[in-house]
């Protein structure tokens, strides 16, 4: 379809050919969004897209993108073989009469946003070509990054590491069934598919349980055992680590040979294609991290976090001669690290949260000796579910948050069902970020973070009510339940930090 763009001094028809040309001239920024399971990727992508599309209802975005004539719209994504990010479904979950958090990321997905604004230069105006920028968002599980390490490891090396971790679990019962099975099946026994299937199932169950009990073990892979995407049931993930100390060379027809072949196929058919096809084409990256949960694990929680960050940084900025550098023709030049769910804590602690993450990132950067990428840390709540409330008790001011605790959450001994609001004192983060890393100061479980239901934005801005027409003050005691209310209307998108993150990641591409 051809159309005519009217300019004050030029009248050139913009034909299909014009748009094809414009498409060729349109720069594309590919943003990778990653983080471990439940770190907040789905909510972040939904929130960012919503804030851009409805920027007039999000004051910070209206100010940030105040480009005269700016249009932002969704377009068909460029890669037909990658599932589309289900933005509309996720938004519907958050916008429903009974809002609920959307379904989390389980595989890679993609979405294309296009920003368009009138041409300012003579040549473009003469040709009737507006400026455009494609933003391709690629959401993928952080668990898949774990596999990077496998590229440099043989089956024997990986097996030795994996068995060592299993044997040193904090809770030995978790790995027992798998280790007993593995011991009962020596590497030299004849290959048997049923053994491969049973062993893989037990290994997978142990990995999943292990990360529940010890969050630091979340970085144990292979990644597809945790989030298989569309590989569920595939022979590609039907293997497990074997003790091959005494059987260094796999004999043809042995269990060792079968599992080694599967392991190598996993690398060739799963890991390499992911890095080549998706990862290597990223320009910018955001890594979402549940720092609050790490903080609640005391100094060890943060040291585990640093360890995980080191691995992530190595993936994004591989050393010049590493395996991965051969796979990556270009390198990511900006990486945002975001501490998600910042609405679980009071405004006064947001800067402290950023400072703690900043420390963890810079220490990991020093240790992994990577350089060249610009990094910045942020406190983020892609959809803010709480408000800040100060409560005074016995002359002491407590910095609290108020929201609707999610169904099943306990506050002050009371179990919530997701409909009533409560005022919660989560604790104040330390002023000096180093205290969070100090084993003598940082204790396990020292904070009281509550999971909140998403805000109910169908209710227009209102104050808490007790059923009469008289507004009621905030909850009478810390953690006291109160009738469920939320602030704002459906267009509003309350958040913390989305605009700053957008400016860091894309600001240099906008006028
Ligand atoms: P993913 O697995 O990385 O895709 O994680 P999700 O985006 O699905 O988020 C996991 C869970 O974290 C959600 O179900 C929410 O409970 C919580 N969550 C994520 N983002 C926010 C946020 O901005 N505020 C609050 N309060 N909770 C959030």
């Amino acid at each position: 379809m051809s159309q005519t763009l009217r300019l004050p001094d030029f009248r050139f028809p913009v034909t299909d050919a014009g748009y094809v040309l414009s498409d060729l001239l349109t720069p594309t920024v590919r943003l990778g969004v990653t983080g471990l399971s439940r770190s907040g990727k789905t909510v972040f992508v939904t929130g960012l897209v919503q804030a851009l599309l409805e920027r007039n209802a999000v004051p910070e975005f209206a100010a940030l993108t105040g480009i005269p004539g700016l249009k932002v719209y969704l377009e068909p994504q460029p890669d037909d073989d990658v599932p589309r990010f289900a933005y509309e479904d996720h938004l519907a979950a958050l916008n429903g009469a009974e809002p609920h958090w959307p379904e989390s990321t389980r595989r890679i997905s993609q979405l294309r946003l296009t920003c368009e604004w009138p041409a300012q230069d003579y040549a473009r105006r003469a040709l009737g070509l507006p400026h455009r920028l494609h933003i391709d968002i690629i959401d993928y599980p952080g668990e898949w990054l774990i596999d990077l390490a496998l590229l440099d490891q043989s089956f024997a090396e990986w097996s030795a590491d994996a068995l060592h971790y299993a044997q040193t679990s904090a809770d030995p019962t978790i790995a027992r069934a798998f280790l007993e099975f593995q011991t009962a099946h020596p590497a030299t026994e004849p290959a048997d598919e049923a053994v491969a299937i049973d062993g893989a199932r037990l290994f997978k169950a142990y990995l999943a349980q292990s990360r529940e009990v010890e969050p630091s073990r979340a970085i144990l892979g292979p990644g597809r055992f945790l989030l298989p995407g569309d590989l569920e049931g595939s022979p590609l993930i039907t293997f497990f680590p074997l003790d091959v100390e005494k059987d260094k060379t796999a004999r043809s027809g042995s269990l060792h040979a079968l599992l080694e072949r599967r392991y190598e196929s996993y690398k060739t058919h799963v890991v390499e294609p992911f890095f080549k096809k998706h990862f290597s084409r990223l320009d910018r990256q955001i890594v979402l991290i549940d720092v609050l949960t790490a903080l609640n694990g005391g100094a060890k929680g943060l040291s585990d976090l640093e360890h995980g960050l080191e691995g992530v940084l190595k993936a994004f900025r591989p050393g010049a001669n590493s395996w991965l550098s051969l796979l990556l023709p270009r390198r990511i030049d900006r990486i945002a690290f975001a501490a998600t769910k910042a609405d679980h804590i009071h405004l006064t602690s947001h800067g402290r949260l950023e400072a703690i993450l900043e420390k963890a990132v810079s220490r990991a950067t020093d240790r992994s000796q990577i350089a060249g990428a610009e990094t910045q840390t942020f406190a983020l709540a892609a959809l803010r579910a709480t408000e800040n409330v100060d409560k005074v008790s016995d002359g002491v001011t407590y910095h609290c948050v108020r929201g609707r605790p999610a169904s099943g959450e306990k506050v002050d001994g009371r179990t919530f069902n997701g409909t009533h609001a409560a005022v919660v004192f989560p604790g104040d983060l330390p002023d000096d970020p180093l205290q969070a890393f100090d084993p003598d100061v940082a204790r396990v479980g020292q904070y009281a973070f509550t999971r909140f239901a998403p805000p109910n934005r169908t209710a227009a801005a209102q104050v808490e009510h007790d059923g009469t027409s008289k507004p009621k003050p905030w909850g009478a005691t810390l953690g006291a339940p109160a009738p469920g209310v939320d602030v704002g209307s459906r267009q509003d998108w309350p958040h913390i930090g989305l605009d700053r993150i957008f400016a860091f990641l894309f600001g240099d591409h906008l006028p």
Side-chain angles (χ1 to χ4, degrees), residues 35-44 101-105 139 340-341 343-344 380-385 451-452:
L36 293 178
S37 189
R38 316 282 306 156
S39 58
K41 300 179 290 296
T42 309
V43 180
F44 169 74
W101 296 108
E103 213 178 288
S104 296
T105 300
D139 171 26
T340 52
K341 307 171 201 178
D343 55 339
H344 288 192
L380 165 73
L383 179 58
R384 187 159 53 79
R451 278 186 317 116
F452 292 99

Side-chain angles (χ1 to χ4, degrees), residues 189-376:
E189 80 172 23
D192 180 346
E193 187 62 48
V195 171
I197 292 173
D198 283 349
R201 182 176 46 76
L202 290 169
F203 181 58
K204 191 171 145 183
Y206 139 72
L207 281 179
Q209 252 191 308
S210 168
R211 63 172 8 207
E212 292 283 316
V213 177
E214 277 183 279
S216 58
R217 299 263 166 141
I219 51 167
L220 294 185
R224 294 301 201 290
F225 278 59
L226 301 161
L227 283 180
D230 44 17
L231 287 183
E232 191 73 67
S234 160
L236 285 170
I237 53 170
T238 311
F239 64 92
F240 59 89
L242 263 189
D243 182 357
V244 293
E245 256 311 288
K246 298 194 199 76
D247 182 50
K248 294 259 190 278
T249 317
R251 243 165 308 140
S252 160
S254 66
L255 183 63
H256 183 174
L258 173 69
L259 299 189
E260 186 170 55
R261 196 187 74 222
R262 291 268 165 86
Y263 172 81
E264 291 302 332
S265 297
Y266 179 78
K267 281 162 58 176
T268 313
H269 299 295
V270 179
V271 184
E272 274 186 42
F274 169 68
F275 281 98
K276 272 191 192 144
K277 192 163 169 257
H278 303 294
F279 194 77
S280 67
R281 293 164 63 209
L282 299 178
D283 304 294
R284 304 266 153 106
Q285 176 68 51
I286 178 161
V287 183
L288 303 178
I289 306 160
D290 191 347
V291 180
L292 294 178
T293 300
L295 272 171
N296 236 356
K300 174 159 186 322
L302 276 191
S303 114
D304 292 340
L305 174 74
E306 257 181 61
H307 187 61
L309 281 172
E310 231 177 284
V312 167
L313 283 161
K314 278 187 186 144
F316 295 141
R317 305 292 299 176
N321 298 318
S322 76
W323 217 106
L324 187 63
S325 65
L326 301 174
L327 285 181
L328 301 181
R330 62 177 172 192
R331 292 180 180 200
I332 291 163
D333 60 353
R334 284 191 192 183
I335 311 172
F337 290 94
T340 52
K341 307 171 201 178
D343 55 339
H344 288 192
I345 50 174
H346 188 270
L347 169 78
T348 45
S349 281
H350 293 170
R352 299 172 188 178
L353 179 63
E354 265 178 23
I356 291 168
L357 179 57
E358 162 72 39
K359 243 318 145 245
V361 170
S362 67
R363 283 158 57 138
T365 307
D366 289 348
R367 282 218 302 268
S368 57
Q369 300 192 321
I370 61 117
E374 199 179 326
T375 61
Q376 200 167 317

